[in-house]
Amino acid sequence: MPRKINLQSLTIRLCFSLILIGCTPENNVLGENSYQPINLTEVEGELTGDNPEAMTLELFGIKEKVEGNFSQEITANKQEGFDKIVMLTQMNLPDDSVRGIRYRLQFQFDQSIGKWRLIEVGRQQSCYRSKESSDWTIEPCP
């Protein structure tokens, strides 16, 4: 005997599932709402190029030698069609309050010039003196 499905109940369950999927930690890392926006007019350097990862390092990477256990990691987390998101994480900075900085850069491929264009940048930081040392925030470090 065929089972009747209540359409309203199915819709509610589907919406709840989609909400849960949107709240995963990975999405929080990528979500632009959790990053402090950086005005592109204040970014020094070329905002278009052939390689988003190389552009990220050129624009926000630390090029000089840093004392201690400094690390810098770049990952391209998401590419959908003509959009690409690149993350740059810098940890163990020589600062007594800021442990690390994480940048989220969104690029869009501009077909008219055949290059990637930086369209959005955001920044977070991790503080040494926070309740959770792994927390990323846009608030100033104490």
Side-chain angles (χ1 to χ4, degrees):
M1 179 171 184
R3 184 176 160 199
K4 290 185 178 182
I5 298 175
N6 181 335
L7 185 57
Q8 183 179 10
S9 173
L10 181 63
T11 303
I12 291 170
R13 280 188 253 156
L14 178 60
C15 289
F16 184 71
S17 297
L18 291 173
I19 289 170
L20 287 176
I21 290 169
C23 293
T24 62
E26 180 179 325
N27 287 340
N28 289 338
V29 168
L30 295 177
E32 64 272 12
N33 293 336
S34 60
Y35 288 79
Q36 179 181 18
I38 296 175
N39 188 338
L40 292 178
T41 60
E42 297 173 5
V43 175
E44 293 183 23
E46 187 60 43
L47 303 183
T48 58
D50 297 321
N51 183 325
E53 291 87 346
M55 292 170 60
T56 297
L57 285 173
E58 184 62 34
L59 293 170
F60 295 98
I62 296 178
K63 297 160 190 73
E64 63 273 355
K65 184 172 173 63
V66 179
E67 291 182 19
N69 201 16
F70 173 76
S71 67
Q72 184 166 253
E73 179 183 7
I74 188 165
T75 55
N77 290 3
K78 181 177 171 184
Q79 184 170 352
E80 295 178 3
F82 294 110
D83 293 320
K84 188 172 195 175
I85 295 176
V86 177
M87 304 292 294
L88 173 62
T89 305
Q90 299 163 334
M91 293 301 296
N92 301 311
L93 296 168
D95 185 304
D96 63 348
S97 61
V98 179
R99 177 188 311 270
I101 297 176
R102 183 163 61 189
Y103 296 95
R104 177 192 182 277
L105 293 85
Q106 182 174 351
F107 294 89
Q108 193 169 64
F109 190 76
D110 187 336
Q111 292 179 312
S112 66
I113 60 173
K115 293 191 180 289
W116 289 95
R117 180 181 308 278
L118 179 62
I119 61 170
E120 186 176 283
V121 181
R123 177 184 184 273
Q124 293 178 322
Q125 57 192 21
S126 174
C127 304
Y128 281 113
R129 295 181 295 264
S130 70
K131 294 176 186 172
E132 295 291 326
S133 61
S134 63
D135 283 349
W136 290 93
T137 181
I138 60 172
E139 300 300 322
C141 289

